[in-house]
């Protein structure tokens, strides 16, 4: 199941994203913070090979011969594990409830139960005195979410709208506010309203699907199929990551083209700027918020550029080894599928995102399909991984 998040997919292209899961350990700042481009999430997060190994590879200017840059490792007959996918009826109903909009409960005799969204007014007192952050005139809380201290949410269960109750509780010993750690506290709580996800009935399903599905049974089946497809996608992606890691570990990089490194670093900058902008911040302020210095950023930027260059070289070497080109049927099928997913023709796709970016994504998918076709795959139950 491919998600329709084109900007995220193309922020580096899947080829470079897999550099970030190639078994390489990403250098961290002293505070443990790190940034790099991640096309799976569209955010700025983690990535790829040891810093020492990557930095030891010399850079070369201008054009390059693939054979001078990389000795490709083993990629045929890889041993991979595929997690079987299972979705229970409980998981289906839980997903439906989590995505449905709760509705106000009008019955005055209805009692609050787990999963309800309640609006409460509360006041907390320690040693008879109120404290900062311990009171609110209107606060929405999902019962069972575990957002409050132990006993708070449990104490609301069974309350009715308009009811007031006192709870004698205690703050945890490890509570974030040191002055309250382990302290007894009394909360006076008034339940002001209850919102609840409706029961999954034929009428409700018909309404939310605008008549496209008219029975609860059919709706559950549809949701189950979507969840199965999502799990299947995750299982395949996990195998792709594992395969990529294994190939990377057995490959030898002799030199890296500076142009590839520079291009990846420029994309890294663009993604970091985009992440900062999404928080309404300048890049310098964003890095400071992460606890990073300019030196930290430059170190990770270079590391990412080199790791992404390795990924590109490995992709080119695999495509060459398998005889895959832009004219290959598998490659063309990937481009066509990608264009169809986003509702554009191939020309528009290439125009919007560039031939090289589309090539990286589509060739990566074609290459990985070949690798998985040649792999020795062992099925493993999801219960075995827990």
């Amino acid at each position: 199941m491919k998600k329709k998040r084109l900007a995220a997919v193309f922020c580096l292209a899947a080829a470079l994203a897999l550099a970030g899961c190639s078994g390489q350990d990403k250098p961290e700042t002293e505070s443990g913070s790190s940034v790099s481009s991640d096309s799976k999430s569209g955010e700025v997060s983690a990535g790829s090979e040891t810093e020492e190994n990557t930095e030891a590879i010399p850079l070369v200017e201008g054009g390059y011969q693939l054979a001078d840059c990389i000795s490709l490792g083993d990629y045929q007959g890889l041993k991979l594990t595929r997690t079987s996918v299972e979705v229970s009826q409980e998981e289906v109903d839980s997903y439906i409830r989590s995505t449905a909009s709760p509705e106000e409960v009008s019955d005055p005799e209805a009692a609050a139960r787990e999963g309800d969204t309640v609006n409460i007014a509360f006041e907390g007192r320690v040693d008879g005195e109120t404290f900062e952050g311990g009171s609110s005139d209107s606060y929405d809380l999902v019962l069972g979410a575990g957002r409050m201290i132990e006993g708070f949410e449990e104490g609301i269960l069974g309350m009715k709208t308009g009811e007031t109750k006192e709870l004698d509780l205690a703050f945890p010993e490890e509570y974030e506010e040191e002055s309250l750690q382990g302290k007894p506290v009394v909360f006076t709580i008034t339940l002001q309203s209850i919102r609840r996800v409706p029961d999954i009935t034929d009428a409700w399903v018909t309404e939310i699907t605008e008549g496209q599905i008219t029975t609860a049974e059919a709706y559950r089946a549809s949701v189950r199929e979507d969840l199965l497809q999502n799990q299947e996608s995750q299982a395949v992606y996990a195998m792709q990551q594992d395969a990529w890691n294994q190939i990377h570990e057995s490959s030898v990089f002799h030199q890296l083209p500076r142009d590839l490194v520079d291009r990846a670093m420029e994309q890294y900058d663009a993604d970091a700027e985009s992440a900062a902008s999404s928080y309404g911040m300048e890049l310098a302020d964003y890095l400071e918020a992460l606890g990073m210095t300019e030196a930290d950023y430059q170190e990770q930027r270079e590391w990412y550029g080199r790791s992404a260059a390795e990924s590109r070289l490995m992709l080119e070497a695999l495509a060459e080894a398998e005889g895959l080109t832009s004219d290959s049927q598998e490659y063309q099928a990937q481009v066509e599928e990608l264009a169809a997913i986003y509702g554009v023709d191939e020309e528009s796709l290439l125009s919007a995102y560039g031939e090289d970016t589309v090539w990286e994504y589509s060739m990566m998918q074609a290459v990985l399909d070949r690798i998985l076709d040649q792999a020795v795959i062992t099925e493993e139950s999801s219960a075995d991984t827990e």
Side-chain angles (χ1 to χ4, degrees):
M1 177 188 294
K2 289 185 173 67
K3 296 181 179 179
K4 294 189 176 182
R5 295 179 60 187
L6 196 55
V9 169
F10 284 115
C11 80
L12 270 186
L16 303 189
L18 281 175
C21 59
S22 60
Q24 306 177 23
D25 295 326
K26 188 177 196 308
E28 292 187 346
T29 67
E30 292 182 2
S31 65
S33 299
S34 60
V35 296
S36 77
S37 303
D38 176 1
S39 71
K40 284 291 172 183
S41 65
E43 295 288 337
V44 180
S45 65
S48 347
E49 186 168 337
T50 64
E51 180 183 2
E52 293 79 7
N53 290 345
T54 302
E55 289 185 347
I57 303 171
L59 301 181
V60 293
E61 306 288 347
Y64 62 91
Q65 296 295 319
L66 197 55
D68 295 335
C69 297
I70 180 175
S71 296
L72 186 62
D74 297 330
Y75 71 91
Q76 295 176 317
L78 298 178
K79 295 182 178 180
L80 304 174
T81 299
R82 181 193 189 97
T83 302
S84 60
V85 298
E86 301 171 358
V87 176
S88 67
Q89 193 61 58
E90 182 180 352
E91 289 174 308
V92 170
D93 285 352
S94 177
Y95 178 81
I96 292 174
R97 286 192 295 268
S98 71
T99 56
S101 299
E103 299 176 0
E104 184 123 8
V105 176
S106 57
D107 181 1
E109 296 302 312
R113 64 194 190 194
E114 188 164 326
D116 286 349
T117 300
V118 297
N119 181 269
I120 58 174
F122 66 92
E123 180 180 80
R125 291 181 177 273
V126 173
D127 297 328
E129 300 291 334
T130 59
F131 55 92
E132 185 176 355
S135 302
S136 175
D137 292 330
S138 178
Y139 186 81
D140 284 337
L141 178 66
V142 178
L143 298 181
R147 289 171 54 188
M148 311 299 275
I149 65 173
E150 185 176 353
F152 191 99
E153 294 173 30
E154 294 86 344
I156 299 173
L157 296 175
M159 290 180 66
K160 299 176 182 179
T161 301
E163 183 179 350
T164 298
K165 188 177 187 179
E166 282 194 353
L167 301 177
D168 292 319
L169 306 174
F171 285 102
E173 294 292 341
E174 301 299 322
Y175 192 66
E176 58 185 14
E177 174 53 54
E178 292 184 9
S179 65
L180 297 176
Q181 290 177 352
K183 291 269 192 176
V185 57
V186 177
F187 283 104
T188 302
I189 301 172
T190 299
L191 180 58
Q192 301 182 138
S193 68
I194 301 172
R195 285 179 290 148
R196 180 175 296 162
V197 173
D199 293 333
I200 305 169
T201 63
D202 293 351
W204 181 75
V205 167
T206 301
E207 181 181 352
I208 66 166
T209 64
E210 297 181 343
Q212 295 183 23
I213 302 177
T214 57
T215 68
E217 181 181 1
Y219 186 60
R220 285 189 172 99
S222 174
V223 169
R224 184 174 185 274
E225 182 62 28
D226 286 345
L227 292 176
L228 281 171
Q229 287 184 22
N230 189 47
Q231 286 194 14
E232 174 72 18
S233 177
Q234 292 175 0
V236 171
Y237 181 63
M239 286 195 298
Q240 291 175 337
Q241 287 182 309
D242 188 13
W244 196 261
N245 291 347
Q246 291 186 44
I247 300 167
H248 185 276
E249 288 171 3
S250 62
S251 297
V252 178
F253 297 91
H254 308 295
Q255 58 188 25
L256 302 176
R258 182 177 292 278
D259 285 348
L260 293 183
V261 175
D262 288 346
R263 186 180 69 182
M265 289 195 296
E266 289 171 3
Q267 184 62 62
Y268 185 90
D269 289 336
D271 293 339
E273 292 278 3
S274 177
S277 178
S278 70
Y279 290 100
M281 303 170 71
E282 297 294 330
L283 180 59
D285 296 327
Y286 179 65
L287 297 180
E288 183 178 355
L290 291 175
M292 295 184 65
T293 65
E294 178 64 24
D296 293 332
Y297 177 81
Q298 292 301 328
E299 177 185 2
Q300 292 189 22
R301 176 180 182 270
E302 182 176 356
W303 164 84
Y304 182 79
R306 286 172 171 269
S307 297
E310 290 181 17
S311 181
R312 173 62 182 242
L313 291 172
M314 202 166 88
L315 176 59
E316 291 183 12
L318 286 165
E320 182 179 88
E322 282 296 303
L324 287 168
T325 69
S326 297
D327 295 324
S328 298
Q329 182 177 352
E330 296 99 320
Y331 173 84
Q332 286 298 323
Q334 292 293 342
V335 176
E336 291 171 8
E337 181 181 0
L338 190 61
I341 287 172
Y342 300 111
V344 297
D345 57 32
E346 183 176 335
E347 183 178 349
S348 298
L349 186 73
L350 295 172
S351 175
Y353 299 102
E355 291 186 12
D356 194 63
T357 299
V358 173
W359 181 90
E360 286 179 334
Y361 177 83
S362 301
M363 186 58 75
M364 175 64 79
Q365 303 310 309
V367 162
L368 287 171
D369 283 350
R370 284 278 187 97
I371 292 171
L372 263 58
D373 284 344
Q374 299 170 33
V376 178
I377 298 175
T378 302
E379 292 287 338
E380 179 180 62
S381 170
S382 57
D384 296 335
T385 64
E386 295 178 354

